[in-house]
Amino acid sequence: SPNFDISAEKAAWFLQNSNGPSVDSVVAINQSLLKDILELTGPLQVEGLRSPLDSTNYQLILSYLIESKHYGEQNPKIILSRTIDALKQNLSEKKDYSAILKLLLESVKKQKIMLYSRDSQVQELFDFFHLTPRQKNISASEDYFQLNSISIGGNKSDQFISQKIRHETIIENNGEIFDEVTITRTHTFSESDLNQWKKSLARFGINDPADWVLDILGRGVNKANLKVYVPLGSTLENVIGADPVEIMVRSDQELSKTFFLIPFSTYPGQPQTVIIRYKLPFKLSTFAADIYRFSID
């Protein structure tokens, strides 16, 4: 769900129902926050690594070591705990707490950190500081658009995806409103990226990286479900660039929106475009002046 409270509650439910502990609160941290911290603290010398981790190589190196099970099947993520230990040490030595606090506050503004609590009083505090992002509520006669990309391919190719969205509104003489949305996604991975990867991995003693791991790290096909949120009651009229049979039209009652779920595959170096046209559930009055309102998240 685009509403963090709904997604966080579901994550807590899954944790508890898979023999994990129950929790009072959920905190989501975007991986890019580590990049920001490393730019602030400088490189990390992590136990067991030949070279330091920095803001330019940490994602590649950690991902490769974890996905390749470099430290064994039983505990492939031990390198993460070692990295966190080194990070704690670096932060304590810097003692530049004002800079760290400023970075955390900026991260909250950019939604790199999100919080949710099952405790109503704590949640009131989170809401006061806008720490629990939610989709915008709209009126019954307001146009709306939000696009969410949900990775389903089992790889990390999202970092190489660039996306362009064009939204057009057509108002007919009788007041009916149609929206036409063009979504173009491009997989930018190239031979240059691969060569850079191999140079970085070699500095850590990895001279012959496995092809299957490189595909997981982002070289492979990007598979996603595009979830397009529109006003509740909108109807899909036409699709170009995708099989209409594969597109699901559903109502999200929790958010009072309709969404279109579009399977989407993007291959390296090959832009992919889909165009959808849909009709809004309300009309404008053409007899007197009327107002068209549009919100985008």
Side-chain angles (χ1 to χ4, degrees), residues 245-260:
V245 176
E246 294 183 348
I247 297 178
M248 291 193 298
V249 181
R250 295 287 186 272
S251 294
D252 190 327
Q253 298 301 328
E254 291 177 303
L255 303 182
S256 296
K257 306 281 196 317
T258 289
F259 66 83
F260 309 128

Side-chain angles (χ1 to χ4, degrees), residues 96-206:
D96 191 355
Y97 300 121
S98 62
I100 295 170
L101 181 59
K102 182 180 179 182
L103 173 60
L104 293 176
L105 290 173
E106 284 297 316
S107 298
V108 167
K109 289 180 182 178
K110 295 177 180 178
Q111 296 183 3
K112 293 184 178 183
I113 300 175
M114 299 181 286
L115 299 98
Y116 161 75
S117 180
R118 288 171 163 174
D119 184 304
S120 59
Q121 289 184 310
V122 175
Q123 186 56 47
E124 282 182 19
L125 181 67
F126 289 167
D127 286 333
F128 181 79
F129 288 105
H130 306 289
L131 300 177
T132 310
R134 293 182 179 86
Q135 206 178 61
K136 175 181 170 60
N137 293 320
I138 60 172
S139 67
S141 58
E142 184 175 355
D143 197 358
Y144 176 85
F145 177 84
Q146 184 189 45
L147 172 62
N148 289 300
S149 172
I150 307 162
S151 179
I152 59 172
N155 64 31
K156 304 176 188 297
S157 55
D158 280 356
Q159 61 185 308
F160 296 104
I161 297 297
S162 66
Q163 181 169 267
K164 292 182 179 180
I165 304 168
R166 179 174 176 171
H167 183 288
E168 296 180 276
T169 300
I170 301 99
I171 302 172
E172 303 287 0
N173 290 334
N174 62 1
E176 290 184 334
I177 307 172
F178 295 84
D179 284 347
E180 189 169 285
V181 177
T182 303
I183 304 166
T184 301
R185 289 164 64 86
T186 304
H187 194 323
T188 64
F189 189 87
S190 65
E191 197 69 24
S192 175
D193 295 303
L194 181 60
N195 292 334
Q196 186 59 49
W197 274 7
K198 289 182 176 180
K199 288 179 183 178
S200 296
L201 290 167
R203 286 195 285 271
F204 288 81
I206 305 168

Side-chain angles (χ1 to χ4, degrees), residues 152 183-185 222-226 241-242 262-266 272-274:
I152 59 172
I183 304 166
T184 301
R185 289 164 64 86
N222 181 269
K223 296 182 179 180
N225 279 336
L226 303 186
I262 308 170
F264 207 92
S265 295
T266 312
Q272 187 75 15
T273 298
V274 64

Side-chain angles (χ1 to χ4, degrees), residues 3 37 39 43 55 64-65 129 131 139 144 157 191 232 235 289:
N3 281 23
I37 293 175
E39 288 177 348
S55 61
Y64 188 92
L65 294 175
F129 288 105
L131 300 177
S139 67
Y144 176 85
S157 55
E191 197 69 24
L232 185 66
T235 54

